[in-house]
Amino acid sequence: EYEGDRNSEGERHGFGKARLPNGDTYEGEYERGLRSGHGTYRFKNGALYTGNYLQNKKHGKGVFFYPDGSKYAGDWVHDQRQGYGEYLYANGDTYTGEWANNKRHGQGTYVYKDTGSKYVGSWVNGIQDGPAELTHLNHRFKGRFLNGKPLGRGKFIFDIGCEQHGEYIQPVQEKEEEEEEEPPLPLEPKWKVSEITKLTPWSPHDEGPSTPGEAAGEEGKIPSVLGDAGEEGEGRREEEVNEDQQDQGEE
């Protein structure tokens, strides 16, 4: 069903309202039969998108409300979250930063609602990867991440005015004599302290050997850095797939 403007060739053109065969509805601008311009698309399952379209695809600025209560507001390119945007997750976590191909990619800030911890740094394909700073209640960690885990040289900075330098080392997996049915989970990187100092300027880009201090060889008793960042179902969601249908029922 369609109610609205048409051009001289009978195509939907201008402003109109449409109900798709699957029960979704669209109200907004059309250009030569396709959703183009600003509009609001309501999905039968309760999801909603309001923003810009280009040739039936979300493109430009827009806000998507997902059925689980999560929300994305930001840039879109050809139906993908791409550019800059903010995602509010169903569990209350938030991510603000760069996106590519529907995933957190580039520079961004992720805030964990339960703990108040904050990750500020690099992301690659939705995973924490690269130089970053992780801030907790009374201390913070500066270093590098690889595949979502801290690895290599870094330092913990404590509010009391001191720093603990060291590095995260990936433990070697010990092989069992007997064959296991399932491969073991990868071991968590371990923090090895090199020295404790007063506050010093340092960035994750600094390389070079660490200087052993009084605490050399001691494994730091530091709280685990953080669990995985929340997932928002980073594949294409069902409601977005439904939207790919062309409006039907021209008459």
Side-chain angles (χ1 to χ4, degrees):
E1 301 173 15
Y2 176 74
E3 176 187 332
D5 303 332
R6 294 179 184 270
N7 59 17
S8 57
E9 295 165 15
E11 298 170 319
R12 300 174 188 188
H13 193 85
F15 185 84
K17 300 178 183 179
R19 178 178 292 277
L20 280 71
N22 63 5
D24 295 350
T25 63
Y26 173 76
E27 180 174 340
E29 296 172 329
Y30 282 88
E31 192 174 309
R32 298 190 62 83
L34 301 176
R35 295 186 294 275
S36 284
H38 192 274
T40 298
Y41 192 107
R42 298 175 188 275
F43 296 85
K44 186 180 175 182
N45 65 3
L48 182 147
Y49 171 79
T50 181
N52 291 320
Y53 277 92
L54 181 66
Q55 297 182 342
N56 269 7
K57 294 185 182 294
K58 296 182 285 293
H59 193 91
K61 300 284 185 185
V63 183
F64 202 114
F65 298 88
Y66 296 95
D68 63 1
S70 58
K71 179 182 87 169
Y72 172 79
D75 297 331
W76 299 81
V77 176
H78 297 304
D79 264 349
Q80 306 277 307
R81 294 186 292 274
Q82 183 143 329
Y84 188 88
E86 178 174 346
Y87 203 113
L88 169 64
Y89 297 89
N91 65 359
D93 291 358
T94 59
Y95 171 80
T96 306
E98 296 176 299
W99 295 79
N101 300 317
N102 267 350
K103 294 182 179 180
R104 302 179 290 261
H105 189 88
Q107 290 295 309
T109 298
Y110 193 103
V111 179
Y112 296 80
K113 181 176 184 293
D114 284 352
T115 61
S117 296
K118 180 169 70 172
Y119 174 97
V120 181
S122 298
W123 299 77
V124 176
N125 292 325
I127 298 172
Q128 297 163 343
D129 200 307
E133 180 168 295
L134 191 53
T135 303
H136 299 286
L137 189 60
N138 58 5
H139 70 283
R140 54 200 166 99
F141 171 76
K142 289 184 79 168
R144 297 186 71 90
F145 282 68
L146 181 66
N147 292 326
K149 304 289 183 186
L151 199 64
R153 292 183 62 236
K155 67 178 181 179
F156 283 90
I157 305 160
F158 296 91
D159 290 354
I160 57 175
C162 68
E163 298 178 346
Q164 189 184 79
H165 297 251
E167 62 181 320
Y168 272 100
I169 299 169
Q170 184 67 55
V172 178
Q173 196 91 43
E174 294 182 6
K175 292 185 178 180
E176 298 284 342
E177 291 290 335
E178 301 173 7
E179 290 187 9
E180 298 181 6
E181 291 183 8
E182 295 183 3
L185 292 171
L187 296 173
E188 290 287 319
K190 283 191 173 181
W191 174 249
K192 186 175 181 181
V193 178
S194 62
E195 64 176 340
I196 295 173
T197 68
K198 294 179 180 179
L199 298 180
T200 60
W202 183 89
S203 82
H205 300 285
D206 293 344
E207 294 299 334
S210 54
T211 306
E214 294 178 2
E218 176 190 350
E219 289 189 358
K221 296 177 180 177
I222 295 295
S224 64
V225 175
L226 267 190
D228 294 336
E231 294 300 324
E232 73 272 8
E234 294 187 318
R236 299 215 41 206
R237 292 167 175 269
E238 182 180 349
E239 61 267 16
E240 295 184 48
V241 174
N242 291 341
E243 190 190 345
D244 285 343
Q245 298 183 35
Q246 300 256 344
D247 290 350
Q248 297 178 7
E250 284 286 341
E251 299 304 324

